[in-house]
Amino acid sequence: MRPSSTDPVRWDAVFADLEAQAEALEIAERAAEVQDRVRAEVGELTVVDRLRPAVGTVLRLRTVDGLVCAGTLARVGPDWVLLEQDGDRELLVCLAAVTGISGLGRQSAVPNSMDVVSSRLRLWFVLRRIARDRSPV
């Protein structure tokens, strides 16, 4: 139906509606972009990135064979963790054997930001050092 010559054209309302639609579309696109970026950043996190800021925290680790290891996180390597227990006992745990961790907070380190020296201290290196020092195991 065409407006009669006596009906005023409501251009202001038409443009206001178009601007509101454009603004809503821009907000939705921005929200989708933020979600994509968050998903990508979370996808880059490794368990080591989650463990590094937790040094000094009491953790419980469950291993593949059902063993539960509990203690205070003392050190984190690229593929191992060291837990301290009461009575001066330490547990060296291979992260490949860990199926669950409880006690972690929400913080995490920047993905892939482990220093060069620490990133080279792999489990085989630590085990070799223990053997060379003839430390009791």
Side-chain angles (χ1 to χ4, degrees):
M1 177 174 191
R2 293 184 62 180
S4 68
S5 60
T6 60
D7 291 339
V9 178
R10 301 187 196 264
W11 292 110
D12 290 339
V14 170
F15 287 125
D17 184 49
L18 288 173
E19 288 175 4
Q21 288 178 21
E23 187 175 330
L25 182 60
E26 182 180 334
I27 290 170
E29 287 175 351
R30 193 173 321 137
E33 182 179 343
V34 168
Q35 287 178 346
D36 287 346
R37 287 183 182 193
V38 167
R39 198 173 299 119
E41 286 182 23
V42 169
E44 290 180 17
L45 284 176
T46 65
V47 69
V48 173
D49 296 327
R50 292 290 314 280
L51 286 165
R52 286 186 11 229
V55 170
T57 304
V58 176
L59 300 178
R60 291 173 44 95
L61 289 80
R62 180 172 298 280
T63 63
V64 183
D65 60 358
L67 179 68
V68 175
C69 306
T72 303
L73 184 62
R75 301 244 357 216
V76 179
D79 56 354
W80 56 271
V81 293
L82 181 67
L83 298 177
E84 292 178 344
Q85 294 182 316
D86 295 335
D88 295 330
R89 184 175 173 184
E90 297 176 321
L91 296 174
L92 182 64
V93 182
C94 175
L95 288 175
V98 174
T99 60
I101 301 172
S102 61
L104 277 177
R106 295 184 54 84
Q107 70 265 24
S108 64
V110 175
N112 304 315
S113 64
M114 183 179 276
D115 63 88
V116 176
V117 173
S118 295
S119 68
R120 292 183 181 167
L121 296 178
R122 304 206 60 88
L123 182 61
W124 65 266
F125 181 85
V126 175
L127 292 174
R128 181 180 287 172
R129 180 68 184 249
I130 291 170
R132 189 181 73 196
D133 291 347
R134 296 186 178 163
S135 299
V137 177

